């Protein structure tokens, strides 16, 4: 008689990092920002990265998102070692598989919000009419159907953040990286943005990283990774209360 092995319910990592170190400056001014970081970002989860300013959070997500190179260590996306790729292939990989939401939105003021949202598709070679149609559809889903031809300066902060979300997810990236997405928003708008992120950006093959100081939104996290002084201090699985790793 064959006995089936129990099926693991632990999500698989989308991105895994081992032995990450990163310093800035030189000589006596050299600052060791990341110190032997090991971390996994798992599929189907929203992972929060918290800790005091200067602890290395932004540097870590910049490396996980292939914007910065580590001084040492390895980052794997699925089974691929990111930094073994040549720079051109790495840039193409980043464009296809990663999406970024920044605290300051980084929208282009000279473009309408529809044109802003369409940028990643056009950058990947999609025809402008197709990219524009997809952008309009997505912005309508995010409640901006009356602002499609507006420019960023004509929108509120919460509306601009929705445009930033649309731009980040329009090409269906596997990894969505959010740097302080609610920092400039009031509590109600911040909660709305987090609900949009969870409903619009999560699926079993996607992962979301959120860097935040905003404890009002911790309830949205599946895991909370705490950093201090360039190291990971703790990892709490919030889907299993009291379970730390």
């Amino acid at each position: 008689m064959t006995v089936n092995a129990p099926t693991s319910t632990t999500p698989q990592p989308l991105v895994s990092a081992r032995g990450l170190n990163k310093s800035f400056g030189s000589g006596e001014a050299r600052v060791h920002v990341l110190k032997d970081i090991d971390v996994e970002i798992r599929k189907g989860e929203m992972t929060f990265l918290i800790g005091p300013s200067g602890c290395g959070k932004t540097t870590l997500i910049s490396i996980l998102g292939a914007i910065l190179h580590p001084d040492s260590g390895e980052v794997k996306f699925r089974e691929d070692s990111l930094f073994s790729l040549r720079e051109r292939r790495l840039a193409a990989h980043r464009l296809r598989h990663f999406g970024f939401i920044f605290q300051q939105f980084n929208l282009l003021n000279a473009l309408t919000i529809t044109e802003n949202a369409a940028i990643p598709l056009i950058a990947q070679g999609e025809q402008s009419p197709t990219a524009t149609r997809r952008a309009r559809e997505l912005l309508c889903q995010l409640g901006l159907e009356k602002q499609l031809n507006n420019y960023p300066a004509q929108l509120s902060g919460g509306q601009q953040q929705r445009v930033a979300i649309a731009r980040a997810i329009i090409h269906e990236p596997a990894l969505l990286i959010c740097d302080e997405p609610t920092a400039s928003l009031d509590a109600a708008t911040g909660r709305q943005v987090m609900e949009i992120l969870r409903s619009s950006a999560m699926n079993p093959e996607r992962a979301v990283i959120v860097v935040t100081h905003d404890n009002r939104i911790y309830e949205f996290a599946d895991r909370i990774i705490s950093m201090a002084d360039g190291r990971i201090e703790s990892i709490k699985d919030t889907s299993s209360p009291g379970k730390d790793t």
Side-chain angles (χ1 to χ4, degrees):
M1 181 177 68
T2 301
V3 178
N4 293 325
T7 302
S8 173
T9 59
T10 302
Q12 296 299 305
L14 178 69
V15 180
S16 59
R18 295 289 179 268
L20 292 186
N21 287 275
K22 182 66 178 178
S23 296
F24 295 100
S26 59
E28 293 183 359
R30 190 172 183 84
V31 179
H32 200 176
V33 179
L34 296 183
K35 305 169 184 175
D36 297 316
I37 293 285
D38 293 341
V39 69
E40 291 183 344
I41 305 300
R42 303 190 307 208
K43 295 178 181 179
E45 290 190 343
M46 184 174 281
T47 300
F48 280 25
L49 194 58
I50 67 172
S53 297
C55 71
K57 301 186 302 295
T58 298
T59 300
L60 178 56
I61 63 169
S62 296
I63 291 174
L64 296 180
I67 295 173
L68 279 180
H69 286 247
D71 296 335
S72 61
E74 182 181 46
V75 177
K76 283 191 174 183
F77 176 84
R78 298 181 178 133
E79 297 301 319
D80 297 326
S81 180
L82 280 185
F83 296 109
S84 66
L85 301 176
R86 293 183 180 273
E87 198 59 40
R88 188 170 180 177
R89 285 192 62 197
L90 182 61
H93 189 285
R94 183 170 56 240
L95 177 64
R96 175 64 190 93
H97 296 292
F98 298 162
F100 299 89
I101 299 174
F102 303 100
Q103 180 178 345
Q104 300 302 324
F105 314 137
N106 289 354
L107 302 177
L108 300 179
N109 290 326
L111 302 181
T112 67
I113 67 168
T114 299
E115 292 167 334
N116 267 280
I119 286 172
L121 289 182
I122 292 173
Q124 289 183 11
E126 187 62 76
Q127 294 296 313
S128 183
T130 302
T132 298
R133 182 174 65 252
R134 176 61 185 139
R136 293 173 68 90
E137 291 172 351
L138 187 51
L139 289 167
C140 287
Q141 291 172 21
L142 295 175
L144 294 171
E145 62 276 0
K146 295 181 180 179
Q147 289 84 23
L148 295 176
N149 296 316
N150 286 13
Y151 292 87
Q154 297 173 296
L155 273 58
S156 68
Q159 290 172 327
Q160 289 186 52
Q161 189 63 294
R162 292 189 205 180
V163 179
I165 291 171
R167 182 186 58 192
I169 67 176
I170 193 169
H171 58 304
E172 300 182 347
L175 179 65
L176 184 61
I177 299 174
C178 312
D179 192 2
E180 299 282 5
T182 63
S184 58
L185 306 177
D186 59 56
T189 304
R191 183 175 184 83
Q192 186 178 45
V193 163
M194 293 307 300
E195 288 172 346
I196 291 169
L197 281 175
R198 179 165 283 286
S199 64
S200 299
M202 294 296 295
N203 70 43
E205 292 301 314
R206 182 173 294 157
V208 179
I209 310 172
V210 179
V211 169
T212 187
H213 288 99
D214 188 353
N215 58 15
R216 301 172 300 180
I217 62 171
Y218 284 6
E219 65 184 274
F220 290 93
D222 295 298
R223 289 197 306 159
I224 297 178
I225 299 175
S226 299
M227 289 187 67
D229 191 29
R231 301 182 187 276
I232 290 180
E233 201 170 50
S234 67
I235 301 176
K236 183 172 184 178
D237 186 343
T238 57
S239 62
S240 301
K243 180 182 177 183
D244 293 331
T245 57

